[in-house]
Amino acid sequence: MAANKRSQGAALKKQSLVTYSNPNSVISDQFRTIRANLHFLTKESISKLFLITSPKEGEGKSTMAANLAVSMAQQKDKVLLIDANLRKPVIHDIFNIQNTGGLTGVLENEVTFEEAVYQTRIDNLDILTSGAALSNFVELLGNEKMESLLTRFADCYDAVLIDSPAVLASPETRVLSTYCEGVVLILKRGKTEIEKIEEAKRVLDIAEARLVGVIVNEK
């Protein structure tokens, strides 16, 4: 997939991207460990699609997804980070880029992927923002075009990370999980209730999603 990528010229929000601003920190080292574990768990698989979600909103999953994407790119993986949280997108804010075109633009045939994708200042890391806000979340993300796009992306990148809405709040997350090789569940220490974790696990099991890891967000 050849891409005429739009370069991201604005400064990154370093306070959110610890793996970028302080790559030698303990936190950055932990993200490298997560990246290594994901590679180990999926080494036999051709697909490298990972869904990043949480039981409910406000648990830091988007920041975790962004840092994991940066960490993977720093290890020379070619990475695409997709903001599929069409309800409350924040990836464009974290990377300080415009949210134009984006995923919804591609799915609605308004722009091509090559026109919508951003090449960040970080080598090997591309971003596909959410695009314009639409109301038909489930239908848009659950159609054959979305599945076909993800298959194409998996052929072009070493890893594709999808930042999705909270699994207990958004049915489209369950649909997206079926397209992915693995799901990573983000929990927030002291905030995520045990019953919510158990409920999220049941929902993912029903969707026949593969839960490959849990990350506890300390902040």
Side-chain angles (χ1 to χ4, degrees), residues 22 30 50 52 56 60 66 78 87 117 142 147 153-154 168-169 189 191 193 195 199 219:
N22 194 357
Q30 291 172 341
F50 298 101
I52 313 297
K56 58 183 185 179
K78 187 178 180 183
R87 299 169 186 266
V117 70
E147 185 175 9
F153 298 160
L168 296 181
R189 186 178 298 279
K191 181 176 179 180
E193 301 92 341
E195 57 269 23
E199 186 179 353
K219 293 186 178 182

Side-chain angles (χ1 to χ4, degrees), residues 194-214:
I194 295 296
E195 57 269 23
K196 296 297 183 183
I197 300 173
E198 293 174 343
E199 186 179 353
K201 177 65 166 57
R202 284 195 298 270
V203 168
L204 291 171
D205 285 344
I206 292 171
E208 298 184 346
R210 182 187 181 196
L211 182 62
V212 295
V214 174

Side-chain angles (χ1 to χ4, degrees), residues 8 33 35 44-45 62 75 82-83 111 113 128 150 162 182:
Q8 190 275 102
T33 299
R35 175 256 185 190
E44 302 297 330
S45 173
S62 297
Q75 300 302 306
I82 301 174
D83 193 344
V111 294
F113 169 75
L128 183 60
L150 291 177
I162 305 170

Side-chain angles (χ1 to χ4, degrees), residues 12 14 17-23 28 67 70 74 121-122:
L12 300 172
K14 295 182 179 180
L17 292 171
V18 177
T19 49
Y20 173 72
S21 61
N22 194 357
S28 294
N67 277 282
V70 171
Q74 288 171 337
R121 289 184 174 185
I122 301 166

Side-chain angles (χ1 to χ4, degrees), residues 43-198:
K43 63 181 179 180
E44 302 297 330
S45 173
I46 297 175
S47 175
K48 299 299 180 188
L49 298 167
F50 298 101
L51 188 75
I52 313 297
T53 189
S54 57
K56 58 183 185 179
E57 296 293 344
E59 294 176 301
K61 62 175 177 53
S62 297
T63 300
M64 299 293 277
N67 277 282
L68 182 56
V70 171
S71 181
M72 286 181 161
Q74 288 171 337
Q75 300 302 306
K76 309 305 180 185
D77 288 338
K78 187 178 180 183
V79 182
L80 175 65
L81 175 60
I82 301 174
D83 193 344
N85 188 351
L86 305 186
R87 299 169 186 266
K88 296 180 180 179
V90 297
I91 293 297
H92 64 285
D93 283 334
I94 294 174
F95 287 89
N96 203 18
I97 57 181
Q98 292 183 342
N99 190 14
T100 55
L103 177 60
T104 57
V106 175
L107 291 174
E108 295 279 88
N109 297 314
E110 295 173 353
V111 294
T112 65
F113 169 75
E114 290 79 9
E115 293 169 333
V117 70
Y118 279 90
Q119 185 177 48
T120 70
R121 289 184 174 185
I122 301 166
D123 289 342
N124 303 311
L125 178 58
D126 292 347
I127 304 290
L128 183 60
T129 65
S130 66
L134 300 173
S135 59
N136 55 332
F137 305 116
V138 180
E139 294 83 358
L140 197 61
L141 296 179
N143 64 27
E144 291 182 359
K145 182 167 184 179
M146 181 66 184
E147 185 175 9
S148 177
L149 277 174
L150 291 177
T151 300
R152 290 175 61 199
F153 298 160
D155 289 339
C156 299
Y157 291 89
D158 297 315
V160 179
L161 303 184
I162 305 170
D163 180 32
S164 74
V167 67
L168 296 181
S170 309
E172 63 268 25
T173 300
R174 304 163 209 178
V175 175
L176 286 171
S177 71
T178 65
Y179 302 152
C180 297
E181 170 60 24
V183 176
V184 178
L185 195 64
I186 308 299
L187 311 177
K188 191 165 187 178
R189 186 178 298 279
K191 181 176 179 180
T192 310
E193 301 92 341
I194 295 296
E195 57 269 23
K196 296 297 183 183
I197 300 173
E198 293 174 343

